[in-house]
Amino acid sequence: METKSKVKNEGLANLLKETDELIKEIKAGDAYMVVNGKKIDFSEWVTLKEYAKRHNLESINVVTNWIRRGIIPAEDVREYSFLNNLRMIRDKEYKK
């Protein structure tokens, strides 16, 4: 019986530690979202529109074409169906 209680207490302690870390991150002003237990850092991932704007591209069609042609690799593209099929890409330079 004592072992089960110890395991529960350790689980609670871990949960409290994670919660404290999350509160610190929120207070620090970090822009992110947690989806299915994975953290999306908005300083690293941007919408196609924001990417086109940041990298002075004519339109999001350029970005969409790069995705289709594989210039932007599949691992750098994420689509969120629960956010109206929002697509985000890793914010880095793909073509010079």
Side-chain angles (χ1 to χ4, degrees):
M1 211 44 144
E2 189 175 314
T3 305
K4 287 182 182 180
S5 177
K6 184 177 180 181
V7 169
K8 285 182 183 179
N9 287 339
E10 288 175 2
L12 181 58
N14 288 336
L15 181 61
L16 289 172
K17 181 181 175 185
E18 290 174 12
T19 303
D20 287 341
E21 290 171 4
L22 181 61
I23 290 170
K24 285 179 188 175
E25 288 178 19
I26 291 169
K27 286 182 178 179
D30 295 340
Y32 69 91
M33 179 172 62
V34 178
V35 177
N36 296 331
K38 294 182 181 179
K39 184 176 171 181
I40 303 168
D41 184 354
F42 289 116
S43 64
E44 182 180 355
W45 294 88
V46 295
T47 63
L48 304 185
K49 182 177 181 178
E50 181 63 23
Y51 184 86
K53 180 180 169 186
R54 287 184 184 187
H55 296 276
N56 298 317
L57 301 175
E58 290 180 29
S59 70
I60 64 170
N61 292 336
V62 173
V63 182
T64 303
N65 287 336
W66 287 358
I67 292 169
R68 273 194 219 120
R69 292 177 20 215
I71 293 170
I72 299 176
E75 61 268 9
D76 285 354
V77 178
R78 292 188 178 168
E79 187 168 331
Y80 301 101
S81 58
F82 61 91
L83 292 174
N84 201 24
N85 294 319
L86 174 70
R87 276 201 290 184
M88 298 185 81
I89 60 172
R90 194 177 309 273
D91 186 21
K92 67 179 189 180
E93 193 169 335
Y94 292 100
K95 195 172 182 181
K96 293 183 180 188

